[in-house]
Amino acid sequence: MLENKVALVTGASRGIGREIALTLAGYGAAVIVNYNGSKERADEVVEMITAAGGRAVAVQADVASADGVSGLFEEALQSFGRVDILVNNAGITKDNLILKMSEEEYDAVMDTNLKGAFLCMKQAAKLMLKQKGGRIINISSISGIIGNAGQANYCAAKAGMIGMTKALARELGSRGITVNAVAPGFIETEMTDKLPEQIKTGMLAQIPLKRAGAVKDIAEAVAFLASERASYITGQTLQVNGGMDM
Ligand code: NAP
């Protein structure tokens, strides 16, 4: 499905990003596995892909840094010569109620989750415009759609990603580039592991499908949007949340 395509996945050392990298590679794409701090885990993802006969390379870069992102794309080009699919997945949380939320907590989440996506899309757009085609998929969140107490910074960043997705879908559409978002609900990863039990139970109660999502649920939605099968879909936010918001 993605043979001869090159995919760059940010934050692919762990969690949802890792599964997206493995899934896109499984469909035939060569993958740039970006990580920030978890080198060993990123190397493990690359080993799994190459062991299965695929092509992948791990590249360290902090997506919040313009220099870091420009280096990331340079290494991507050196490794595989093009980027057809960009998945902006890297993300962090620094939760606090508004009265307690520090400026640092606000800035850190905006810089990684929103500015990081902006910086990567800027680099990808340059390449994809020349290539006259491409797929950009932004991993937003249900929190950016319905809000979540204690996450003013995260909700703003994730809602911002949806706005930026629509802006770029309009800017880049005439050149065969689609830009979409995937908004996961409650997915089992290290990010949600650290939530208090009471919050997890509360979230599960709101899910009509009565289970937390698995990383594979998100990865398959991303693979669809990255494929030719989704060539007439742009500017959309695909909610993958077990029916949590409808
Ligand atoms: P996770 O398990 O905490 O993994 C986060 C990933 O992001 C790691 O690979 C991490 O890399 C990377 N990362 C963090 N800061 C980075 C930076 N500055 N530069 C580059 N990479 C960075 O999180 P997850 O649950 O898989 O979440 C993945 C995405 O889905 C996030 O955008 C998150 O907001 C979104 N999401 C998750 C859920 C959920 O329920 N889990 C729900 C909605 C949306 P290192 O370890 O190498 O630093």
Side-chain angles (χ1 to χ4, degrees), residues 11-16 34-38 61-63 89-92 112 139-141 154 158 184-187 189-192:
S13 50
R14 299 186 278 120
I16 292 172
N34 161 250
Y35 66 98
N36 189 23
S38 309
D62 175 357
V63 295
N89 165 80
I92 56 169
T112 298
I139 307 302
S140 176
S141 169
Y154 185 80
K158 293 300 187 181
F186 177 44
I187 312 299
T189 67
E190 287 167 35
M191 184 179 272
T192 45

Side-chain angles (χ1 to χ4, degrees), residues 6-7 30-33 55-57 75-83:
V6 176
V31 183
I32 295 106
V33 175
R55 293 190 302 154
V57 61
E75 287 205 43
L77 285 183
Q78 273 167 23
S79 301
F80 298 122
R82 54 191 292 123
V83 174

